[in-house]
Amino acid sequence: MLLWLIVLFPFVGGVCTAFLRPNARNAEAWLAGIVALATLCAVALLYPQVANGVIVRSSLEWLPQAGVRIALRMDGFAWMFAGLVTSIGALVVLYARYYMSPADPVPRFFSFLLAFMGSMLGIVLSGNLIQLVVFWEMTSLTSFVLIGYWYHRAESRRGAIVALSVTGTGGLCLLAGVLLLGHIVGSYELDAVLAAADRIHAHPWYPAALVLLLLGAFTKSAQVPFQFWLPQAMAAPTPVSAYLHSAAMVKAGVFLLARLWPALAGTDLWFGIVCSVGMGSLVLGACAALFQRDIKGVLAYSTVSHLGLMTLLLGMDSPLALVAAIFHMLNHATFKASLFMAAGIVDHETGTRDLARLGGLARAMPITATLALVAAAAMAGVPLLNGFLSKEMFFAETIFAGETPALRIGLPALATLAGVFSVAYSTRFFHRVFLGPPARDLPREPHEPTHWMLAPSLILVVICLLVGIMPAQTIGPVLSLATHAILGSRQPAYSLSAWPGFHAPLAMSAIALVGGFTLYAFLLSRRVLARLALRAVGAARRHWFDRLTLRLVRTFDRLQRLVISRRLQIQLLIIVIACSVVGYLTLNNSIARFSAPSITVLELSFALLWIVGGACALGTALQAKFHRLAALIMFGGAGLVTFLTFAWFSAPDLALTQISVEVVTMVLMLLGLRWLPKRIDTMDPGRRTTRARARRLRDAIVATLAGAGMALLSYTLLVHPGAPSPLSEFFLAQALPASGGRNVVNVTLVDFRGFDTLGEITVVAIVALTVYKVLRRFRPPPESLPGTARDAAQTMISPATLRRLVLPAAGVISLYVLLRGHNAPGGGFVGGLILATAFIVQYLVTGTLWVESRLRIRPQYWMAVGLLAAASTGCGAWLGSRAFLTNMSAHIDLPLVGDVHLSSTLLFDVGVYLVVIGATTLILVSLAHQSLRGRRAPEAEPVAGIRVRA
């Protein structure tokens, strides 16, 4: 139970925070802080079990027939990371309370910050790889919102888009790699994958799966060549940078590498790719950090460098290197979060982050300067601080990692060079901000912030000192717990001590310290040279980045011109052809083996009916170019023939649905017909007729082949020799005993295929909201709406009594159809369409304003309540330890009524009912208001209180 609380607490807290009053920083910060601390306490309560070697597990069945379930899994490594995410998250919440301005939309900030925390915890605790990918993409989405929090700034919008583009693309690669990995192993469960290392390495798809998984990890952790998104993400508020870009989001990539290390590591391909990328990021990030003018730019590139260090260690395929990588994950999170907080304090109190304008702040901000000094020293690897210990372990591993002379010399040399740059940019950061002559042209007078704003940085700095002085007593148990969870019996012996003794890694550290101070002193004494180097590096970076960006833009522009057109016809043509090709490839090897079934004698009346329907379909295609209204009428005729076909074959449910859909869609399409764009035809008039005929012939051939393909697909499914019996027999036999309903169609929709239906009504709601938002900008102004409600009522085309009876009568009928749907023709979809049709009738005969002045139509609320009802039905099954959306029923004996059968599928059907009504009405209202655009009001006075409520 605690595992579920750990993941759900942040999401629930984020939803609650979003509904708080704006500009109430105290309430929002208190709520977010309580949620973060409660989650941290839940993680701490699981320590005794994890420390005893127990892997805490919890799972919920989702699709048991397909082996899909939601699984949470906490071992020592996951416990360490969960503690890291929640503890630093709580400190960031406290820091953000004093950093954020009261004028900012603070509820949105804390809401998405908590949602990001929940997404990271989902990654850490996922026991299923598909589930891990879902949470992985959630971190990309929530970080996109947080990076673009100040969306009125161009750099924030650009940074958010670049970050989402890179990490989102990496997430797609990760999904493809996970699918390949699951195919190799035969399971997506993490335990099965970690235990199948030999099978994975021997499989021919191992290289492809490895490359795709590494692309996902490298993009998330900003490794070369994907490092450019991280500095641009520094446009986010500093609390976001302190959390996402030092302790949480960018750590997700190295977390994944360490998590899958037992299954993927141990090959030359792993060593070559991971070590090369890690070393490139380590050196290039350190070099770039030395020439940044923005404080957060320095910290961003230093983060790239340190992430490269962890990646390099994970690529070395050594248990001790893995220990060093996990140790540095912990150390980096503490000193880098503290440095980001110090940078935010400087920006908050001085109004700038430009190193060229800052200086001498130690006099005005001594406490901040002291905290920044300790954190920067930890980042540089100064002895008696935590960064020194993990860097010593890193230097030691580079000495023994390579087998060839080039690697045995090259790796330590490059590692030492990166250490030199690390010391240099750490020294430059502190010296340019806090030492030297005081700056005199700052936007604000510098001073110390409130002590509560300094408290999170102070706590992190104290941890840096304690770990550096007493590593075995402080971080030792946690590090041992995390490494044992990954390595198991392969866990090596190592020692943690503040003074490791005289050995080669200590000499490398000494060279790095002396070389770093010397390099910075040289650059400081050659300021002109430093400026030239800075400009050269910046110009080169901008040049290559701009060239790469331009090439990508041009490439995708060409691709877009090939596959995307302003004409809907072309887009549909591509989709239909693609689906037809995929369907043909699937059925190509199976069609020839099927025997022909017995043919039923075709009745003349049914043949005539279908001749009429075919004529209507052909007429629709022929008239679409010349007369859209005539095409739409014939389109309705084809739909009517389909309705009669369902009735002919004794399918009343499908017939009711078809006729209801025809009525609603015909009216909505009529309302939108006048707003369709004119046909685009840029051809020369002399060639227009020939080209148009060829295009129509092409479309006719494609449509015929696609229709024949769908018929062939249906035929294949019905006569497949491997099926023990027709599908209809299964549903007929299982409908009543399995779901308690006699209406097989409704039972299939709300039970057997309930997950499909849930997805379909979600799509319907999204489409309705999209139509509403697109047409919202074209709403007519109030003064252009026609007259008064009374004037609208006088233009009615039906008697008043009949008009007043239509809606309540239709409401009663729709409820009747809804409630009888489980055992007789009907259901939520048909019932919703009936009531939606009644709304349409009201709009048609009385006018928009008359209806809205008398009916409080809130379509968005209908859809929201419907989706919640349908989703809660699925989640409610978990309470009974059943799979998602499993039917639960009960019989209740009521006085005077007798036995009453209650089923959870009724609640699901009610959800479908509400979504259909809300979506249809929202589209109707949007189109109706759009149709009023440009009409001028008569001279009558407007009636007060009439508002557009859609």
Side-chain angles (χ1 to χ4, degrees), residues 216-223 229 249-254 304 307 311:
F218 292 159
T219 53
K220 185 72 82 172
S221 287
Q223 296 296 281
W229 73 263
M249 178 181 174
V250 293
K251 290 290 197 310
V254 290
V304 172
L307 290 170
T311 303

Side-chain angles (χ1 to χ4, degrees), residues 437-512:
R440 301 188 181 279
D441 59 344
L442 297 177
R444 304 187 192 119
E445 186 67 25
H447 59 85
E448 289 285 13
T450 177
H451 294 320
W452 285 109
M453 191 173 183
L454 290 167
S457 181
L458 175 62
I459 294 172
L460 294 171
V461 164
V462 170
I463 293 174
C464 292
L465 286 167
L466 291 177
V467 173
I469 297 171
M470 300 181 297
Q473 294 78 12
T474 53
I475 204 65
V478 176
L479 182 61
S480 175
L481 194 66
T483 54
H484 185 269
I486 298 176
L487 297 172
S489 59
R490 295 176 59 192
Q491 185 176 19
Y494 61 90
S495 63
L496 295 176
S497 60
W499 179 249
F502 293 99
H503 56 342
L506 182 63
M508 296 170 66
S509 296
I511 294 173

Side-chain angles (χ1 to χ4, degrees), residues 36-394:
L37 289 175
T39 309
L40 177 60
C41 292
V43 173
L45 289 174
L46 290 173
Y47 178 76
Q49 300 181 56
V50 176
N52 289 329
V54 177
I55 299 179
V56 184
R57 291 186 175 89
S58 183
S59 63
L60 289 174
E61 296 295 335
W62 182 270
L63 297 173
Q65 295 85 353
V68 179
R69 59 176 183 157
I70 300 177
L72 298 180
R73 176 186 184 275
M74 177 181 277
D75 57 9
F77 184 54
W79 184 90
M80 182 206 78
F81 237 95
L84 188 68
V85 170
T86 52
S87 58
I88 294 188
L91 295 176
V92 168
V93 168
L94 175 60
Y95 175 81
R97 159 62 183 84
Y98 299 96
Y99 180 88
M100 303 304 295
S101 170
D104 290 326
V106 184
R108 178 161 59 89
F109 174 83
F110 283 111
S111 176
F112 282 104
L113 189 71
L114 290 175
F116 177 83
M117 181 188 295
S119 303
M120 275 300 302
L121 290 171
I123 291 177
V124 171
L125 299 179
S126 288
N128 182 284
L129 293 183
I130 298 293
Q131 176 186 328
L132 184 146
V133 174
V134 173
F135 283 112
W136 186 279
E137 291 298 80
M138 289 175 65
T139 60
S140 297
L141 292 175
T142 50
S143 65
F144 166 76
V145 179
L146 289 170
I147 295 171
Y149 175 73
W150 287 322
Y151 54 83
H152 57 281
R153 301 179 180 178
E155 62 270 18
S156 296
R157 298 194 300 271
R158 187 169 186 266
I161 292 173
V162 171
L164 180 63
S165 301
V166 175
T167 59
T169 304
L172 294 177
C173 295
L174 177 64
L175 175 60
V178 163
L179 293 177
L180 282 178
L181 196 61
H183 171 72
I184 294 171
V185 178
S187 173
Y188 296 105
E189 294 299 313
L190 183 60
D191 291 321
V193 171
L194 296 180
D198 294 337
R199 190 190 318 170
I200 294 172
H201 295 167
H203 200 277
W205 284 106
Y206 166 72
L210 178 64
V211 170
L212 290 170
L213 290 167
L214 291 180
L215 283 174
F218 292 159
T219 53
K220 185 72 82 172
S221 287
Q223 296 296 281
V224 172
F226 311 107
Q227 80 289 346
F228 57 86
W229 73 263
L230 185 60
Q232 296 189 55
M234 293 299 113
T238 301
V240 174
S241 302
Y243 190 39
L244 275 67
H245 306 138
S246 64
M249 178 181 174
V250 293
K251 290 290 197 310
V254 290
F255 168 83
L256 181 67
L257 295 179
R259 180 83 283 177
L260 297 179
W261 191 88
L264 300 179
T267 63
D268 293 337
L269 185 62
W270 169 274
F271 180 86
I273 296 177
V274 179
C275 286
S276 300
V277 172
M279 181 57 75
S281 302
L282 171 65
V283 176
L284 293 179
C287 180
L290 186 58
F291 299 101
Q292 300 301 309
R293 286 187 57 172
D294 185 3
I295 299 177
K296 290 176 69 174
V298 175
L299 299 179
Y301 277 105
S302 70
T303 300
V304 172
S305 179
H306 283 271
L307 290 170
L309 185 152
M310 302 173 209
T311 303
L312 176 58
L313 284 169
L314 291 169
M316 290 180 182
D317 195 25
S318 164
L320 272 175
L322 178 69
V323 173
I326 296 174
F327 191 20
H328 199 68
M329 290 179 197
L330 292 167
N331 294 336
H332 177 263
T334 53
F335 63 69
K336 189 55 66 68
S338 178
L339 283 170
F340 269 113
M341 291 178 183
I345 290 172
V346 171
D347 185 21
H348 191 269
E349 303 305 329
T350 64
T352 182
R353 300 196 309 259
D354 190 349
L355 289 173
R357 300 179 62 185
L358 294 168
L361 294 183
R363 297 177 179 85
M365 308 169 65
I367 301 177
T368 303
T370 303
L371 297 177
L373 174 62
V374 177
M379 180 169 65
V382 175
L384 298 182
L385 293 169
N386 59 352
F388 168 75
L389 298 176
S390 53
K391 190 171 288 188
E392 281 283 291
M393 297 177 72
F394 165 63

Side-chain angles (χ1 to χ4, degrees), residues 835 839 858-867 913-915 917-918:
L835 188 55
F839 283 135
R858 307 282 188 180
Q860 296 96 324
Y861 294 170
W862 291 65
M863 291 189 296
V865 174
L867 288 175
Y913 176 81
L914 295 176
V915 171
I917 295 173

Side-chain angles (χ1 to χ4, degrees), residues 21 46 51 86-87 106 174 272 428 466 601 649 778 888 908 923 946:
R21 181 176 58 87
L46 290 173
T86 52
S87 58
V106 184
L174 177 64
R428 178 173 176 262
L466 291 177
V601 178
F649 286 108
F778 303 115
M888 300 178 67
F908 185 87
I923 296 175
I946 298 178

Side-chain angles (χ1 to χ4, degrees), residues 38 115 177 192 335 353 378 469 475 538 574 654 679 807 827 843 883:
F335 63 69
R353 300 196 309 259
I469 297 171
I475 204 65
I574 295 173
L654 299 179
R679 297 182 64 89
L807 188 59
Y843 271 84

Side-chain angles (χ1 to χ4, degrees), residues 555-565 570-571 574:
T555 301
F556 284 106
D557 185 58
R558 295 191 189 100
L559 182 62
Q560 182 180 13
R561 287 197 297 268
L562 287 175
V563 301
I564 297 179
S565 170
I570 300 299
Q571 299 180 36
I574 295 173

